[in-house]
């Protein structure tokens, strides 16, 4: 943060307030505050960056869309969900005009809107947005791309909240398949196994649930840097208890 502020002052001295390098430093400082969970301070800097980027690049620049996305993230974390979605949609319109209907940036925005709606317990709307994102990702990357993994997990979570256990299982299982094919076993594999185990317990399929819990524990012991003595492995033991 200290170095970014020094850089900002140098750029201000060299170029004045309304210059792209200044906007970039405002955005960088906003990112630092966001990482520190100081969301109001982050937004103060994002708004400064937004003002300059609009003036320099124009209202419909992807540079502006990027800052809209950052502001949306802070609004979401401050539980200002409607404002968050409003900024996401502004970002969406810019990217759609720039890149067309099926760009991955658009899919990512639908994914983020889905997450925000889920945080509001609007699970059906959330699922619709995640499914839209998923179809766009399939069109862009293909059906077997690991880029689809996180969206399948999100579809699984939301379907689980809707008590649609069969669809949730299919989504988690597909996420697991894509992840294993792409990178093999790691800590994310453990997390998906745990989700499948807990889902199946809720669906009263105890034998299948225990099987996935065992896989989670076994995988955790293999991939853990602490030989099975970390939080992930402890959570696996709780499921098996």
């Amino acid at each position: 943060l200290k170095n970014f502020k020094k850089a900002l002052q140098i750029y201000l001295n060299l170029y004045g307030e309304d210059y792209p390098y200044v906007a970039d430093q405002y955005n960088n400082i906003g990112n630092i505050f966001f990482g520190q969970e100081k969301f109001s301070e982050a937004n103060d800097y994002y708004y400064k960056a937004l003002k300059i980027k609009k003036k320099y690049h124009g209202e419909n620049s992807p540079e502006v869309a990027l800052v809209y996305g950052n502001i949306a993230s802070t609004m979401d974390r401050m539980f200002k969900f409607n404002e968050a979605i409003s900024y996401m949609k502004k970002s969406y319109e810019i990217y759609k005009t720039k890149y067309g209907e099926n760009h991955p940036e658009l899919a990512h925005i639908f994914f983020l809107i889905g997450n925000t709606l889920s945080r509001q317990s609007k699970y059906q709307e959330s699922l619709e947005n995640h499914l839209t994102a998923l179809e766009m990702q399939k069109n862009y990357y293909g059906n077997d791309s690991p880029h689809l993994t996180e969206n399948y997990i999100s579809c699984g979570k939301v379907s689980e909240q809707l008590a649609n256990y069969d669809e949730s299982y299919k989504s988690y299982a597909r996420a697991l398949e894509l992840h294993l094919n792409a990178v093999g076993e790691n800590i994310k594999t453990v997390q998906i196994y745990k989700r499948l185990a807990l889902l199946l317990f809720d669906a009263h399929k105890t034998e299948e649930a225990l099987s996935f819990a065992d896989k989670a524990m076994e995988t955790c012991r293999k991939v853990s840097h602490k030989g099975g003595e970390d939080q992930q492995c402890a959570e696996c033991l709780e499921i098996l208890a």
Side-chain angles (χ1 to χ4, degrees):
L1 179 59
K2 186 177 180 181
N3 288 333
F4 279 129
K5 285 188 173 181
K6 283 183 179 179
L8 172 62
Q9 192 56 55
I10 291 170
Y11 287 131
L12 285 169
N13 292 339
L14 286 172
Y15 303 114
E17 177 73 22
D18 295 329
Y19 200 76
Y21 291 158
V22 173
D24 289 341
Q25 293 310 309
Y26 281 140
N27 192 65
N28 288 337
I29 293 169
N31 290 342
I32 295 293
F33 279 122
F34 184 89
Q36 296 174 341
E37 299 189 355
K38 296 178 179 178
F39 303 120
S40 180
E41 290 94 329
N43 256 359
D44 289 342
Y45 282 94
Y46 288 147
Y47 282 126
K48 289 179 180 180
L50 181 64
K51 181 180 177 182
I52 298 169
K53 285 180 181 288
K54 280 184 175 181
K55 184 173 182 179
Y56 194 88
H57 297 288
E59 295 272 348
N60 295 315
S61 166
E63 291 284 334
V64 172
L66 177 66
V67 183
Y68 280 147
N70 289 341
I71 294 170
S73 294
T74 59
M75 293 298 186
D76 181 74
R77 296 295 291 275
M78 290 191 291
F79 304 100
K80 296 180 179 180
F81 299 123
N82 290 337
E83 291 175 70
I85 290 174
S86 175
Y87 277 105
M88 291 175 198
K89 288 181 177 179
K90 288 180 179 181
S91 184
Y92 172 86
E93 290 301 326
I94 293 172
Y95 285 131
K96 184 175 74 171
T97 301
K98 179 72 176 178
Y99 300 123
E101 293 282 351
N102 288 312
H103 194 271
E105 284 290 351
L106 303 184
H108 184 61
I109 292 170
F110 276 114
F111 174 80
L112 294 175
I113 291 173
N115 287 346
T116 297
L117 289 166
S118 181
R119 282 160 61 77
Q120 296 174 274
S121 301
K122 296 179 179 180
Y123 298 120
Q124 188 58 50
E125 292 177 65
S126 173
L127 181 60
E128 290 167 6
N129 278 272
H130 282 304
L131 290 172
T132 299
L134 191 59
E135 287 306 309
M136 294 174 77
Q137 287 177 319
K138 287 179 181 178
N139 290 336
Y140 192 86
Y141 295 114
N143 290 339
D144 297 321
S145 170
H147 288 92
L148 279 61
T149 302
E150 288 300 326
N151 229 324
Y152 272 118
I153 291 172
S154 292
C155 288
K157 290 179 183 177
V158 177
S159 295
E160 190 173 354
Q161 291 292 335
L162 291 167
N164 192 339
Y165 298 129
D166 287 343
E167 288 303 315
S168 181
Y169 179 88
K170 290 177 186 176
S171 293
Y172 288 146
R174 184 62 174 144
L176 178 65
E177 180 184 13
L178 292 175
H179 183 72
L180 287 172
N181 289 341
V183 299
E185 292 182 334
N186 61 14
I187 205 65
K188 181 175 281 296
T189 318
V190 177
Q191 292 166 353
I192 300 173
Y193 280 143
K194 287 193 302 181
R195 289 200 170 279
L196 283 161
L198 292 170
L199 171 71
L200 289 164
F201 275 125
D202 286 343
H204 307 293
K205 297 181 179 180
T206 305
E207 188 174 337
E208 293 175 70
L210 288 171
S211 175
F212 278 111
D214 283 332
K215 288 180 180 178
M217 189 68 242
E218 180 184 348
T219 307
C220 195
R221 287 184 176 131
K222 284 194 289 185
V223 303
S224 170
H225 296 301
K226 297 184 179 180
E229 298 296 324
D230 60 10
Q231 181 177 337
Q232 292 289 340
C233 295
E235 289 173 358
C236 293
L237 289 170
E238 287 180 24
I239 296 172
L240 287 164

